[in-house]
């Protein structure tokens, strides 16, 4: 049988939290600024790529209500461009989330923000799949009744930490999160 461990006193927890925050605040700031810059660059790239394919002609056709076959082909191409933009934005968001966990989890080693972002990219797919699976389970719990949804939300709350900090897979991170809680 596993032994029960007690939490440290609240003063120790606050002191450790403050030390972690002070040790990682600059890198957290850099990671989040880098994320904002990446979003702006992605949006600008999508906009610049969409212009030659008739983004303005789409708006013109809508305002004049003249829908030609060229309008529909332009609409399809611009739609695909912005779909790619959305997918890349999700990848940037997941990589940033992983980078944030890496910066805070390894604050004593003083990891560089750019290295954390690069490492965070390798976790993006696992975080996405875990989030998707957790969402299905949690929403299913809410459909059964509200309490199971809240229960699932709580027991899977450490899954992303397990993926990033302990390099677990999708199912094993959810299993480990359940055992932690």
């Amino acid at each position: 049988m596993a032994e029960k461990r007690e939490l440290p006193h609240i003063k120790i927890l606050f002191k450790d939290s403050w030390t972690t925050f002070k040790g990682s605040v600059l890198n957290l700031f850099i990671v989040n600024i880098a994320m904002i810059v990446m979003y702006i660059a992605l949006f600008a790239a999508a906009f610049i790529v969409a212009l030659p394919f008739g983004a303005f002609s789409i708006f013109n056709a809508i305002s004049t209500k003249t829908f030609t076959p060229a309008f529909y082909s332009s609409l399809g191409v611009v739609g695909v461009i912005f779909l790619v933009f959305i997918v890349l934005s999700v990848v940037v968001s997941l990589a940033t989330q992983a980078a944030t966990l890496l910066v805070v989890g390894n604050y004593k080693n003083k990891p560089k923000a750019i290295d954390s972002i690069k490492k965070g990219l390798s976790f993006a797919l696992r975080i996405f799949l875990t989030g998707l699976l957790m969402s299905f389970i949690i929403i299913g719990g809410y459909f059964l009744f509200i309490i199971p949804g809240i229960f699932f939300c709580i027991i899977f709350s450490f899954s992303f930490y397990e993926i990033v900090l302990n390099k677990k897979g999708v199912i094993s991170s959810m299993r480990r999160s359940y055992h932690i809680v």
Side-chain angles (χ1 to χ4, degrees), residues 143-155:
F143 278 128
L144 291 174
F145 192 61
I146 294 193
I147 303 299
I150 294 171
F151 173 75
F152 290 136
C153 201
I154 292 170
I155 66 169

Side-chain angles (χ1 to χ4, degrees), residues 4-10 12-13:
K4 278 227 174 217
R5 293 187 296 178
E6 291 189 26
L7 283 174
H9 192 268
I10 190 74
I12 295 171
L13 290 174

Side-chain angles (χ1 to χ4, degrees), residues 85-106:
F85 164 73
I86 290 169
V87 169
L88 290 175
S89 296
V90 168
V91 170
V92 166
S93 173
L94 295 172
T96 304
Q97 183 179 1
T100 300
L101 292 174
L102 286 168
V103 165
V104 174
N106 299 322

